[in-house]
Amino acid sequence: MAYANGYYCNLKETYLFTEIANRVNTYVAAHPEKKIIRLGIGDVTLPLAPVVIEVLHKAVDEMGVKETFRGYGPEQGYDFLRQAIANYYAQRGVDLSLDEIFVSDGAKSDCGNIGDIFADTNVMLIQDPVYPVYLDTNIMRGRKVIYMNATPENNFAPMPDKKVKADIIYLCSPSNPTGSVYTKEQLAKWVEYALENNAIILYDSAYEAFIDGEEIPHSIFSVPDAKKCAIEFNSFSKIAGFTGTRCGYVVVPKNLERQTENGKVMNLNSMWLRRQTTKFNGVPYIVQRAAEASLSKDGLQQCWENIAYYKENARIMMKGFDECGIKYYGGVHSPYLWIQCPGGMKSWDFFDELLAKANVVGTPGSGFGVNGEGFLRLTSFGSRENTIEAMERIVAVFKK
Ligand SMILES: *Cc1c(COP(=O)(O)O)cnc(C)c1O
């Protein structure tokens, strides 16, 4: 008798994106003449950088020649890419050795898979609203999850509560969906909490390339002692537009250790290596070459031009909402604007109003957790023309 994993019954059905599609389709059917602008897109839209494309072509050619053909590579990634990642972190003042870096097919898989090296009895501390991957992957394992409220009162960056005992904490900065960020001082408090509780912080820095200025840290490892309590996830998806090309990485500090429930001391870096070499066979050579190219001097320059484009979109959006007197969070260090629905409207009501009156589509905040109710997520991943037009419409409708 094969039994199915019953914990899957505890997953909440998410109708968010189907429901958005349904409502948009219904509106379009009734108003076929209207041009709908989608500002809810959670995906990059600009093409890969020219340097990346050039290197991809070259790497493909290498695969067609006997002398340079590659089969299985190292599961944890080629040294050339790990070195490029280490150099990238060094530019931010973070020192990593190559064996602390594990290349993967993306941060989503890593954020989900990391649970393999932790006991199922751990208590997980997760923000609400949140990127659903952290939550659902732990529900699938039957782990206990406790929530911390991300609200306007804490700028959507909740801080540790000494009374709450958690074993593993997910932090995402800049955050999806709220665009909030943690300062270095705030992260230092989280590190202090983790060290006091022998906890582990799982830090998602997928949007670090959107951080403006010097103030906000790009990596939790800029905090002293974070290597004693944190694992970091990063990805080429948002910095280099690799959402469809697939490449990410995890940083597991070399000396990071925790005990088993029986008191045996385990090295988490060795465990993750063992997990990856057992269940994962590496990222395509050509993709790793492309990822390396994105971190070269020219590559970064070109990637940052794309990010600057999205950030200018965000500025246009923020200016429009300022004109309307509609409050928002995020947008500065992030492609996400977290709009407080005007007049105390609920997420879906504001969604409907925006669709009907401005023909603009957002993502209802209530889809990301209880505390998302009353908010709407917009992104700056649209085209400049669409962003400008959408904001002109919004200003025309909502400016008092
Ligand atoms: C987009 C995103 C990632 C990156 O995921 P990939 O699997 O690398 O594409 C990671 N975390 C968050 C919160 C994201 O929004």
Side-chain angles (χ1 to χ4, degrees):
M1 175 81 146
Y3 293 108
N5 179 348
Y7 293 126
Y8 277 60
C9 304
N10 302 339
L11 293 166
K12 272 214 201 77
E13 230 18 273
T14 145
Y15 298 111
L16 182 62
F17 292 98
T18 6
E19 180 62 21
I20 292 173
N22 287 345
R23 293 194 190 204
V24 173
N25 292 342
T26 306
Y27 183 84
V28 170
H31 309 272
E33 74 293 350
K34 300 280 193 193
K35 179 190 164 198
I36 304 289
I37 297 180
R38 288 166 205 276
L39 284 191
I41 340 163
D43 194 357
V44 298
T45 52
L46 292 173
L48 296 176
V51 178
V52 170
I53 293 299
E54 194 184 307
V55 167
L56 264 172
H57 280 295
K58 220 175 112 231
V60 167
D61 288 340
E62 283 180 53
M63 296 298 276
V65 176
K66 192 164 192 304
E67 285 69 29
T68 50
F69 165 80
R70 313 264 181 144
Y72 290 126
E75 289 92 341
Q76 61 274 42
Y78 284 104
D79 277 356
F80 64 76
L81 178 54
R82 299 206 288 169
Q83 188 60 58
I85 293 166
N87 295 347
Y88 178 65
Y89 270 62
Q91 289 167 30
R92 314 270 199 218
V94 173
D95 208 25
L96 299 180
S97 65
L98 295 203
D99 50 9
E100 294 180 306
I101 301 167
F102 297 84
V103 174
S104 73
D105 65 342
K108 187 184 199 174
S109 330
D110 288 331
C111 288
N113 293 336
I114 197 75
D116 276 12
I117 65 169
F118 293 105
D120 287 337
T121 46
N122 283 301
V123 174
M124 318 302 283
L125 182 57
I126 296 181
Q127 307 198 351
D128 176 311
V130 78
Y131 179 55
V133 177
Y134 315 146
L135 182 59
D136 287 351
T137 54
N138 284 294
I139 291 178
M140 288 171 177
R141 291 287 286 259
R143 289 201 180 97
K144 181 176 175 187
V145 173
I146 51 179
Y147 296 91
M148 46 183 157
N149 297 322
T151 62
E153 288 69 42
N154 55 29
N155 263 316
F156 296 95
M159 295 300 295
D161 175 349
K162 287 199 193 306
K163 295 187 297 287
V164 172
K165 291 292 168 217
D167 304 310
I168 297 179
I169 304 132
Y170 284 87
L171 298 179
C172 181
S173 174
S175 148
N176 176 9
T178 66
S180 67
V181 284
Y182 281 108
T183 64
K184 196 163 172 179
E185 292 67 35
Q186 289 177 314
L187 288 181
K189 290 240 161 58
W190 273 113
V191 166
E192 191 187 309
Y193 172 93
L195 292 174
E196 270 171 22
N197 291 282
N198 251 316
I200 289 284
I201 296 171
L202 300 178
Y203 191 77
D204 186 344
S205 62
Y207 294 95
E208 55 83 19
F210 282 80
I211 291 173
D212 242 352
E214 305 293 311
E215 197 91 333
I216 305 297
H218 288 252
S219 164
I220 193 162
F221 299 120
S222 2
V223 177
D225 285 344
K227 279 201 173 182
K228 295 179 188 158
C229 62
I231 290 174
E232 182 162 304
F233 305 89
N234 206 338
S235 166
F236 292 91
S237 284
K238 311 298 159 44
I239 182 177
F242 273 44
T243 51
T245 308
R246 309 305 307 143
C247 196
Y249 52 95
V250 190
V251 177
V252 188
K254 193 85 188 100
N255 298 317
L256 188 59
E257 291 176 337
R258 285 298 179 269
Q259 295 183 4
T260 66
E261 288 160 299
N262 301 325
K264 184 169 162 43
V265 176
M266 305 288 282
N267 178 289
L268 297 181
N269 178 288
S270 313
M271 286 178 77
W272 184 245
L273 178 65
R274 186 61 202 266
R275 191 270 171 211
Q276 289 298 80
T277 51
T278 304
K279 293 198 186 181
F280 184 62
N281 241 344
V283 176
Y285 170 72
I286 55 176
V287 171
Q288 292 193 58
R289 278 295 182 201
E292 178 196 25
S294 73
L295 295 183
S296 66
K297 193 160 168 286
D298 289 350
L300 281 175
Q301 190 56 45
Q302 291 168 8
C303 287
W304 282 327
E305 276 169 30
N306 285 358
I307 288 172
Y309 178 93
Y310 297 134
K311 287 172 80 75
E312 177 60 20
N313 284 350
R315 275 189 286 274
I316 291 165
M317 295 164 73
M318 290 190 282
K319 189 166 160 284
F321 284 108
D322 284 340
E323 278 177 52
C324 299
I326 293 179
K327 198 159 169 49
Y328 56 84
Y329 298 82
V332 179
H333 304 290
S334 160
Y336 297 114
L337 262 80
W338 187 244
I339 312 290
Q340 185 149 24
C341 305
M345 245 185 283
K346 296 214 161 201
S347 298
W348 277 111
D349 294 337
F350 186 47
F351 172 92
D352 286 337
E353 186 161 323
L354 211 52
L355 175 60
K357 292 189 177 159
N359 304 148
V360 170
V361 180
T363 310
S366 52
F368 299 97
V370 176
N371 291 312
E373 181 59 273
F375 293 87
L376 186 97
R377 192 190 74 174
L378 296 182
T379 81
S380 62
F381 287 133
S383 71
R384 178 65 42 79
E385 307 76 76
N386 279 350
T387 304
I388 291 173
E389 192 180 335
M391 289 318 300
E392 283 171 356
R393 294 184 197 166
I394 288 172
V395 168
V397 174
F398 291 97
K399 191 172 171 177
K400 301 234 167 59

